[in-house]
Amino acid sequence: MAHIALEAAPHAHKDAPRISFVSLGCPKALVDSERIVTRLRAEGYELTRSHDGADLVIVNTCGFLDSAKAESLSAIGDALAENGKVVVTGCMGAEPEQIRAVHPGVLAVTGPQQYESVLAAVHAAVPPRHDPFLDLVPEQGIKLTPRHYAYLKISEGCNNRCTFCIIPKLRGDLVSRPLGEVMREAERLVKAGVKELLVISQDTSAYGVDIKYAPSLWREKERQARFYDLAEALGELGAWVRLHYVYPYPHVDRVMELMAAGTVLPYLDIPFQHANPDVLRRMRRPASQEKTLARVQAWRAAVPDLTLRSTFIVGFPGETEAEFEDLLGFLSEAELDRVGCFKFEPVAGAPANDIAPPVPEEVKAERYDRLMRLQQTVSARRLKRKVGTRQQVIIDSVTPAGAFGRTKGDAPEIDGRVRVASRRPLRVGEIATVKIEAADAYDLVGTAVGF
């Protein structure tokens, strides 16, 4: 999870109230933080790095796993100790009694997406001193990511009822944003210099189902709120478009056309979670899983440079050695490019806790190690195939040791990176052509060419 401290606005008024902000959790929570921060800056608040000396601290919490709740409670405790005035929001805020039981001194607790309640709590504690001539907010809003990429949230909530997850309880059922609204935000971001749009939601491929794919107008054309139509429209902006949290529904197959045409990046983040059908039934995972391997092979035939990322859970209640071996077999055959693995952790209120006998912790740890060792071998083999090729690389940082960036197959923070040597200085945010010269299990090394 990310802890994000914000720098003060360069032209903030000397008498402006100062807010310190901590954002924990996933990219979806980060977008919530960006919306709150944008509203605060529009009202004239200054953002400061330090809790000490700030007029108020806001902590945007994560409440999915017990470990995440512990980190959130620790962050709240630190803010109270350093400052004393704390407003809590985010997923853990959906269960305020848990927070107040540990930290009764917080000023207010609100749930996820409750932007108005957060602003009301801030106003009550620290009224704004807005100066419209000094406190200007860029049209695209305040972003917590580097200038060259941004997360684009297309919906809230989720209609699925996976037995290990309480996201619908925390964030509600699926609520899709109209396509025109999403596209106007995306267009503002690209105009502001964003080179890469990372599309996120809880279930990206279910986009629009709740609003019955209602059409809306963008660029004088009526477009339906469908996964394919949105991906196609985003591809018209000229930025990299990366699709995250895509469930393998049949209609996802059609997006391969856009990838093959270069409209969106040849990258899919699909949280498979397991491969054994009995475990998947106990998980109550959506979409048909029986022909997953065949579909992966068909996708790769249509888009040879496709990168597939996924996450898996080991030690799910009742998972047998044979079921785990099925998962290893799937990974060996599917050869996914990027894989994350989690040891099952009971979540308060999740049906999975009582679905079958728990797997002993030492067995979970042993299975986790076996899976990651296997995936390391697979990843190294797939990355080795890129040695000698030329790749487009977006530059994320420039240091005395060289520049570091990502290929079209690497999302920020979660995937690998490329160390880039260059005869000329590279700039953060530029997209360079790089000849790949070496690879390990996760990263690449290359030299910028074509100057």
Side-chain angles (χ1 to χ4, degrees):
M1 293 192 294
H3 178 132
I4 298 171
L6 303 171
E7 294 189 35
H11 305 295
H13 195 282
K14 65 179 181 179
D15 295 324
R18 291 175 295 173
I19 305 295
S20 180
F21 202 110
V22 178
S23 184
L24 301 171
C26 64
K28 293 179 285 294
L30 184 70
V31 173
D32 291 345
S33 295
E34 290 174 340
R35 290 176 180 172
I36 295 168
V37 167
T38 296
R39 293 284 300 276
L40 289 171
R41 283 292 297 120
E43 294 184 358
Y45 289 91
E46 176 186 341
L47 304 169
T48 177
R49 282 183 174 274
S50 175
H51 294 343
D52 185 22
D55 294 288
L56 181 79
V57 180
I58 299 174
V59 180
N60 189 1
T61 59
C62 180
F64 184 47
L65 299 173
D66 287 345
S67 55
K69 291 179 180 179
E71 184 177 4
S72 295
L73 290 172
S74 175
I76 295 167
D78 291 344
L80 284 168
E82 294 180 48
N83 183 280
K85 289 185 177 181
V86 179
V87 170
V88 179
T89 187
C91 284
M92 196 174 177
E95 300 174 306
E97 64 282 354
Q98 293 187 28
I99 295 169
R100 293 197 180 276
V102 180
H103 299 300
V106 297
L107 297 178
V109 180
T110 75
Q113 307 157 44
Q114 295 180 5
Y115 313 120
E116 298 301 330
S117 297
V118 175
L119 269 293
V122 173
H123 294 162
V126 188
R129 300 186 189 97
H130 182 46
D131 184 338
F133 295 102
L134 294 177
D135 301 313
L136 301 178
V137 175
E139 185 185 10
Q140 74 275 10
I142 306 298
K143 293 296 167 186
L144 305 181
T145 51
R147 186 171 180 265
H148 60 286
Y149 69 82
Y151 292 103
L152 183 67
K153 185 155 59 170
I154 62 173
S155 66
E156 301 282 3
C158 185
N159 286 345
N160 301 317
R161 294 297 184 265
C162 303
T163 57
F164 55 82
C165 181
I166 58 169
I167 290 296
K169 178 182 177 184
L170 298 176
R171 289 183 169 260
D173 288 335
L174 178 71
V175 180
S176 299
R177 299 172 64 192
L179 184 141
E181 178 185 310
V182 175
M183 291 307 304
R184 284 188 288 275
E185 179 184 351
E187 196 167 31
R188 288 194 298 270
L189 290 169
V190 173
K191 285 181 178 177
V194 168
K195 302 284 186 67
E196 178 180 11
L197 297 167
L198 298 106
V199 179
I200 57 168
S201 67
Q202 200 61 38
D203 181 355
T204 296
S205 37
Y207 172 69
V209 67
D210 58 305
I211 55 176
K212 298 180 180 175
Y213 312 113
S216 56
L217 197 65
W218 183 68
R219 288 189 173 178
E220 300 181 354
K221 180 180 178 181
E222 196 171 73
R223 304 167 191 253
Q224 288 191 309
R226 293 182 182 272
F227 176 59
Y228 178 90
D229 298 70
L230 177 62
E232 182 181 43
L234 288 170
E236 295 176 17
L237 297 177
W240 283 12
V241 177
R242 192 179 300 278
L243 303 173
H244 284 280
Y245 314 124
V246 177
Y247 285 73
Y249 303 121
H251 66 266
V252 172
D253 296 355
R254 192 178 170 213
V255 175
M256 294 301 131
E257 302 170 13
L258 301 179
M259 294 183 180
T263 305
V264 301
L265 293 183
Y267 180 100
L268 273 184
D269 179 353
I270 299 184
F272 288 121
Q273 306 297 13
H274 213 280
N276 176 270
D278 292 329
V279 175
L280 289 167
R281 276 191 287 272
R282 295 201 296 275
M283 290 180 168
R284 207 181 298 159
R285 293 293 288 160
S288 173
Q289 303 281 343
E290 288 76 11
K291 298 180 180 179
T292 298
L293 189 59
R295 293 182 70 202
V296 167
Q297 293 166 342
W299 293 341
R300 285 213 169 112
V303 186
D305 59 343
L306 177 66
T307 294
L308 290 173
R309 147 165 277 281
S310 192
T311 51
F312 296 90
I313 297 172
V314 297
F316 190 78
E319 182 189 57
T320 65
E321 178 62 23
E323 289 170 341
F324 176 68
E325 288 286 350
D326 279 352
L327 173 54
L328 294 184
F330 171 80
L331 289 173
S332 294
E333 203 163 352
E335 288 202 323
L336 303 180
D337 301 87
R338 303 293 189 183
V339 166
C341 182
F342 300 92
K343 290 172 278 191
F344 176 79
E345 184 178 320
V347 178
N353 303 341
D354 306 313
I355 214 163
V359 175
E361 290 300 321
E362 61 273 18
V363 175
K364 290 182 193 177
E366 187 267 343
R367 289 177 181 172
Y368 173 89
D369 289 341
R370 285 163 62 192
L371 187 149
M372 293 311 295
R373 283 199 304 271
L374 169 63
Q375 180 56 33
Q376 190 174 46
T377 302
V378 171
S379 177
R381 184 166 60 245
R382 291 197 64 80
L383 285 178
K384 189 176 180 180
R385 298 174 187 174
K386 294 186 177 181
V387 174
T389 67
R390 296 191 176 201
Q391 301 286 328
Q392 296 297 106
V393 173
I394 189 166
I395 303 300
D396 286 331
S397 64
V398 178
T399 73
F404 293 88
R406 294 172 290 107
T407 71
K408 293 180 178 180
D410 297 302
E413 305 295 334
I414 58 173
D415 292 327
R417 61 180 187 169
V418 186
R419 180 174 177 174
V420 183
S422 177
R423 294 195 306 271
R424 68 162 175 84
L426 295 171
R427 301 182 308 277
V428 171
E430 79 168 281
I431 298 175
T433 300
V434 177
K435 183 177 180 181
I436 305 301
E437 296 160 340
D440 61 22
Y442 301 107
D443 301 320
L444 300 168
V445 177
T447 300
V449 296
F451 304 138

